[in-house]
Each structure stands twice: as structure tokens, then as C-alpha cells.
Amino acid sequence: NNCSQVDKGFTFDAGNTTSTAAITNSTINNFSSFLPSVPLDVIGRVLPGNTFNGVLAGATITVLEGATITRDATWPGKLGAIPLTYAMLASMATIQGTDGGDTVTTLTIQAGAILNFPSGAFGLDVGNGAAITGALVVTGTAVDRVTMSSSAGVPVAGDWYGLNLSTTASASSNIAYLTVRYAGRSRFASSNDACVRISSGGTLDNVIARDSLFNGFFFSAGSAAMTNASTQTVVVDGVRVGGGSP
């Protein structure tokens, strides 16, 4: 709290996936593009509320292994005016828990953020499909969309699995101006795989699914509302409904 650092400022060891550290009201100067390595469930406790000076274009946060986001968190889309890229090392990130006054662990991803997943990654699951809920809020805009994509140097359709709103994803999930690319890798069954798979409630607006190995969007259950969506370069269907009442 209330400290100033030069160069990298802070980082976490690669094996540290359970830290409860919080960094607030601090200034990190001359940050360049060498942003810290941060555990998945700690990002929301170290990025918001601090000042980062000297951030260069291409700034990247390395998101360390750690499968679950259990605490309410906000991931900034920019540091100053520089869009922020999150290099996801985890094969799958799951939002689930009972944090906060609403007892629903919620991840908020702000406008401009870029999340890049490695080849073969399951991607981002909202809820765990069993008993524990979770929520995703994406606050992209027409000018600054949020992007989820592949980290491959030459990405291709099906590099990773995609965004999955499981059966326990909260209806409070609200996703706006999100682009999901190079996903749709076969996880469930080829006809049911998609850049965005929806099995719950919630709202999606101005979401783009593109470069999918199978479908753009797949609805398997639930009553999610989707408006102003579009698909580009998908192999099977742009939108496929296998169940539910979207």
C-alpha cells in the first residue's frame, strides 16, 4: 500500500497460484511492456486501484496456472490508454464461487482487454456445470471490444475450445461487445462445439464468433437472450440450437 517501484515493480513466482496478496494505492513507474506474472485468482487484487506509468504498446500480463476464479474480480482492459493483453497459461479457467453480497463469484472484463489462450486450452468456463455458480460480465464497447483468441503465432480455427456458459452460470452474466476467435475445438461432440457454448441464462449483445472449427454459437439449455450477434468463417452453423429456449 502506498509504494512506488521502478521497472517491473512486482511479480509472483510461477508456482504461486493461491496467494491472497493485495496491492493497492501503489505507483509502478517505467513499466515498459514487462508486466508481471500473476496467479489467475489474484489479478483482481493487484491491477485495479494502482497506477502504472510508462506502459508500452503490447503490454501483456502473464496469467499463471490456477484453475479457478473464486473471488469477485475486475480485469482492466487498459493501463492508461494502452490495451492490455492477458496471456493465459491455464488449460482451463473456471469462474465459480459464492463471493460478494450476491453470493455469486463474478469476473468483470473491461473494454479493450485481450485474452489469449494456448493451443488445446479448454478456455473459460462460467460455473462448473455441477452445483457452484459463477458469472461473467464483459463491458466491451463498439470502439473497444473485448477479444478472446488463440495465442498461436499463426492461429487456425479450433486452436482452443472457447467460452462455455455452463448450466450453473448465473443469469446475471451480461456479455457485451465480445469477439471470440479461433475456437470451436471438439470438446463435447463436433456438432455441439462452438466458439461460444450456452447452457444457462444471461444476456449476450453484440457478440461476434468467428474462425470456428464447428459452430459459432451453440445453445444446449437455458434461456439466455442474444441480440445483435454475428458469425464469420464458421465450418458448420452460425447459430445452432440443441436445447433450451433462447
Side-chain angles (χ1 to χ4, degrees):
N1 187 26
N2 292 312
C3 66
S4 178
Q5 293 291 330
V6 179
D7 293 330
K8 201 162 189 177
F10 64 88
T11 193
F12 290 77
D13 292 336
N16 184 351
T17 61
T18 59
S19 173
T20 58
I23 301 174
T24 59
N25 303 313
S26 299
T27 300
I28 296 89
N29 294 315
N30 304 322
F31 218 45
S32 185
S33 58
F34 299 99
L35 298 181
S37 300
V38 183
L40 183 69
D41 205 22
V42 179
I43 292 173
R45 296 166 62 87
V46 299
L47 290 186
N50 296 299
T51 300
F52 298 85
N53 295 323
V55 178
L56 300 180
T60 300
I61 290 283
T62 298
V63 182
L64 298 174
E65 292 281 359
T68 307
I69 299 169
T70 62
R71 294 171 287 202
D72 288 349
T74 297
W75 291 12
K78 295 182 179 182
L79 291 179
I82 304 300
L84 186 56
T85 296
Y86 295 86
M88 308 291 292
L89 297 187
S91 59
M92 180 173 69
T94 301
I95 308 165
Q96 64 176 55
T98 56
D99 196 25
D102 61 356
T103 68
V104 177
T105 295
T106 301
L107 172 62
T108 300
I109 304 175
Q110 295 181 332
I114 301 168
L115 280 65
N116 285 336
F117 292 85
S119 179
F122 282 99
L124 185 61
D125 275 15
V126 184
N128 71 348
I132 305 175
T133 191
L136 175 65
V137 174
V138 174
T139 60
T141 69
V143 175
D144 287 312
R145 301 184 67 88
V146 171
T147 301
M148 297 180 184
S149 189
S150 166
S151 62
V154 183
V156 296
D159 267 353
W160 62 293
Y161 290 85
L163 171 63
N164 178 38
L165 299 175
S166 79
T167 54
T168 56
S170 172
S172 63
S173 295
N174 188 345
I175 300 169
Y177 291 97
L178 169 68
T179 299
V180 182
R181 301 191 68 181
Y182 301 112
R185 191 182 184 95
S186 182
R187 175 179 177 183
F188 300 93
S190 59
S191 62
N192 298 341
D193 290 300
C195 283
V196 182
R197 194 174 192 273
I198 303 141
S199 306
S200 59
T203 59
L204 299 90
D205 183 54
N206 279 285
V207 177
I208 297 173
R210 58 178 301 184
D211 307 302
S212 174
L213 185 61
F214 290 102
N215 304 296
F217 300 89
F218 178 76
F219 290 86
S220 67
S223 56
M226 186 168 72
T227 55
N228 304 308
S230 65
T231 61
Q232 301 173 28
T233 320
V234 299
V235 175
V236 186
D237 294 322
V239 179
R240 186 180 183 93
V241 178
S245 54

